[in-house]
Amino acid sequence: MRRRRAAVAAGFCASFLLGSVLNVLFAPGSEPPRPGQSPGPSPDPGPGRRGGRGELARQIRARYEEVQRYSRGGPGPGAGRPERRRLMDLAPGGPGLQRPRPPRARPLPDGAPGWPPAPGPGSPDPGSSGPGPRLGCAALRNVSGAQYVGSGYTKAVYRVRLPGGVAVALKAVDFSGHDLGSCVREFGARRGCYRLAAHKLLKEMVLLERLRHPNVLQLYGYCYQDSEDIPDTLTTITELGAPVEMIQLLQTSWEDRFRICLSLGRLLHHLAHSPLGSVTLLDFRPRQFVLVDGELKVTDLDDARVEETPCTGSADCTLEFPARNFTLPCSAQGWCKAMNEKRNLYNAYRFFFTYLLPHSAPPSLRPLLDGIVNATGELTWGVDETLAQLEKVLHLYRSGQYLHNSTEAGRAEYQHLPGSTIPQEDYRCWPSYHHGSCLLSVFNLAEAVDICESHAQCQAFVVTNQTTWTGWSHVVPDASKTAYVRASG
């Protein structure tokens, strides 16, 4: 049986000039450029005021080595011995990539390394699409509809449409952001500070490639472009998603909210068993995720960490959160046991599960959903058991086994009117797929009748041939709509 939608009826982003935006994309600020304002970076302010260039070089090298470690570690996609050459030179003459240019001297702090290599195309994880040709600078020459989306601590994000009509997201270091600004104030070395910040973007690019999964944002490519006094500014090209707005999500149907929680459970399971090891998201907030066709995907990975916490005893294994703390065991190998996955799981509980899972769920599923919320809130389960329970809920809901056997006694009779609808006779209900009316999903006709019986305002309902994401594909209604009108008396 496929789930269908039944209508229960009663009786800040502005477009701006493309040329200016592309200039900003390679040297971005946190605000779109104003007319007549140069979007490029200001000149390097010169010698550091405090801290010294040696400390800046040490920080750059530490981030460089981290990216190298993720780029070559484990047996997953992109594994292999890295080559020490520029990202854009990895595939000379390849689709969408620029020809290699002669190397140029670039003033960097003493001891600072150059760019590490890009991740290799590798093999996609099961269920994900193949990597295909990587997009490069050539793909950005004729984009349209450029819009500033927003910025965070390090990066700015823009939305553009490629010549083929596909909308993508572009990320670049935010020249007006806190990360770059605080570094320049401390060291006074704009180019070196840009390189330090850009390594976070590069780390994210490597992890997006290595952690390929349906709930990880797709990396389409990258581009290096000189921008005034900063050579080789980096822009990444990724899948475009919609920001996660919790207030809006609370007003959506339970089915869609459950889909987000299921997506998150599948993501956390993947991160706990990734090719790199168990990955934790140190910055775990709704703004680090986006929605793509109803699926939740992680987009911000520059603060992800793979290494587990070393310990000599359980006292070293305390997970601290604003509301409470947890103490985990220290393994015989000297690592806090499952600390990465438990951090992810509790954050999923406090930011997503507790708000989205139980409310307005089918009554028969509430005990299962309450169990998931309680177990993740107490960290009595790991990600494996959590995902198993979420998949169980999906099976019960998709198969219709969650429905109680209702009796015919006391039910009104409904007149069957094939090929008809009831326009302009509707009322609002919550939750609904449409805020101006009462549009719900049902498993079968019996459930539609039960819903109509439970709503005092309902005098009729209309069954459409629309299906939701949980619908089966082998049953197709003969007519697009069928009306059922409650008989008088």
Side-chain angles (χ1 to χ4, degrees):
M1 193 73 179
R2 79 190 299 184
R3 294 195 65 82
R4 296 182 292 176
R5 289 184 178 174
V8 182
F12 163 9
C13 288
S15 297
F16 41 84
L17 292 177
L18 179 60
S20 298
V21 171
L22 288 179
N23 193 9
V24 174
L25 288 173
F26 301 127
S30 62
E31 295 291 337
R34 300 182 181 89
Q37 178 185 13
S38 172
S42 59
D44 194 310
R49 298 178 180 85
R50 55 188 175 86
R53 296 296 183 92
E55 172 61 19
L56 177 57
R58 186 196 65 77
Q59 293 183 25
I60 293 175
R61 179 164 293 279
R63 288 189 183 176
Y64 169 85
E65 291 172 352
E66 182 184 31
V67 174
Q68 288 277 34
R69 190 163 63 250
Y70 295 152
S71 180
R72 62 174 174 248
R81 187 175 183 85
E83 300 177 77
R84 292 177 175 271
R85 53 185 176 179
R86 289 186 45 197
L87 280 167
M88 292 306 297
D89 296 346
L90 284 177
L97 297 178
Q98 292 180 327
R99 290 186 299 120
R101 294 180 292 177
R104 297 176 304 234
R106 296 191 288 270
L108 288 173
D110 295 337
W115 289 116
S123 302
D125 288 345
S128 65
S129 58
R134 199 188 301 274
L135 298 178
C137 296
L140 304 181
R141 289 174 186 156
N142 296 305
V143 298
S144 61
Q147 292 180 334
Y148 169 82
V149 175
S151 57
Y153 190 84
T154 302
K155 296 163 293 189
V157 182
Y158 297 82
R159 179 190 190 276
V160 300
R161 192 171 295 279
L162 300 179
V166 177
V168 299
L170 305 183
K171 288 186 179 182
V173 172
D174 185 355
F175 271 84
S176 299
H178 182 276
D179 207 358
L180 184 63
S182 62
C183 176
V184 171
R185 286 191 296 272
E186 180 173 0
F187 299 110
R190 194 171 185 83
R191 293 188 187 183
C193 286
Y194 173 84
R195 191 159 297 263
L196 180 67
H199 271 81
K200 294 183 71 174
L201 183 60
L202 190 58
K203 171 188 172 182
E204 179 175 278
M205 185 173 75
V206 169
L207 290 177
L208 288 175
E209 181 73 16
R210 296 302 312 282
L211 298 175
R212 281 180 174 271
H213 184 266
N215 298 112
V216 175
L217 202 71
Q218 289 189 61
L219 173 70
Y220 293 149
Y222 48 82
C223 174
Y224 273 120
Q225 182 88 355
D226 291 347
S227 178
E228 297 187 14
D229 65 326
I230 306 289
D232 296 335
T233 59
L234 172 63
T235 300
T236 61
I237 310 169
T238 70
E239 185 178 20
L240 180 68
V244 173
E245 301 288 351
M246 294 301 294
I247 299 299
Q248 294 179 9
L249 290 183
L250 291 173
Q251 302 175 48
T252 61
S253 70
W254 175 83
E255 188 173 333
D256 285 349
R257 285 184 275 120
F258 173 71
R259 184 182 188 183
I260 291 170
C261 294
L262 179 64
S263 299
L264 185 55
R266 289 170 174 171
L267 171 65
L268 297 192
H269 182 269
H270 173 65
L271 294 181
H273 304 283
S274 84
L276 297 173
S278 182
V279 178
T280 192
L281 306 177
L282 297 178
D283 190 3
F284 195 118
R285 291 173 294 169
R287 64 178 297 175
Q288 313 303 318
F289 300 85
V290 295
L291 290 173
V292 180
D293 297 327
E295 286 281 330
L296 188 74
K297 299 195 178 192
V298 63
T299 177
D300 200 331
L301 290 171
D302 58 354
D303 288 315
R305 190 181 72 187
V306 174
E307 297 80 8
E308 292 280 12
T309 302
C311 60
T312 58
S314 59
D316 299 325
C317 301
T318 301
L319 269 177
E320 298 182 351
F321 296 98
R324 62 177 304 180
N325 299 334
F326 298 90
T327 299
L328 304 179
C330 180
S331 70
Q333 293 75 32
W335 301 98
C336 294
K337 190 174 180 180
M339 195 167 198
N340 282 353
E341 75 168 78
K342 291 296 182 75
R343 177 185 286 109
N344 287 343
L345 197 55
Y346 188 79
N347 278 324
Y349 155 79
R350 70 191 187 107
F351 286 115
F352 289 92
F353 293 167
T354 190
Y355 299 109
L356 303 182
L357 264 184
H359 308 297
S360 70
S364 62
L365 295 178
R366 283 294 299 269
L368 275 174
L369 297 170
D370 289 341
I372 294 172
V373 172
N374 293 336
T376 53
E378 296 295 328
L379 290 186
T380 55
W381 290 349
V383 295
D384 293 356
E385 180 63 21
T386 301
L387 179 59
Q389 293 297 318
L390 288 168
E391 296 284 3
K392 180 179 179 180
V393 173
L394 174 63
H395 171 71
L396 294 174
Y397 187 69
R398 176 175 274 172
S399 64
Q401 295 180 40
Y402 70 97
L403 294 173
H404 292 300
N405 292 326
S406 56
T407 63
E408 299 294 331
R411 277 189 175 186
E413 293 185 2
Y414 290 80
Q415 185 179 0
H416 181 195
L417 303 175
S420 60
T421 186
I422 307 174
Q424 299 177 348
E425 292 289 340
D426 213 338
Y427 64 92
R428 295 180 181 181
C429 66
W430 184 88
S432 170
Y433 284 94
H434 192 283
H435 291 170
S437 62
C438 192
L439 182 63
L440 306 173
S441 71
V442 296
F443 177 76
N444 55 19
L445 181 59
E447 185 179 13
V449 171
D450 285 343
I451 291 176
C452 190
E453 293 287 304
S454 67
H455 290 193
Q457 295 170 281
C458 181
Q459 298 299 317
F461 61 87
V462 176
V463 179
T464 76
N465 65 352
Q466 285 183 279
T467 59
T468 64
W469 66 276
T470 59
W472 296 94
S473 60
H474 62 275
V475 179
V476 180
D478 292 334
S480 63
K481 293 182 180 180
T482 301
Y484 293 82
V485 181
R486 184 185 293 187
S488 60

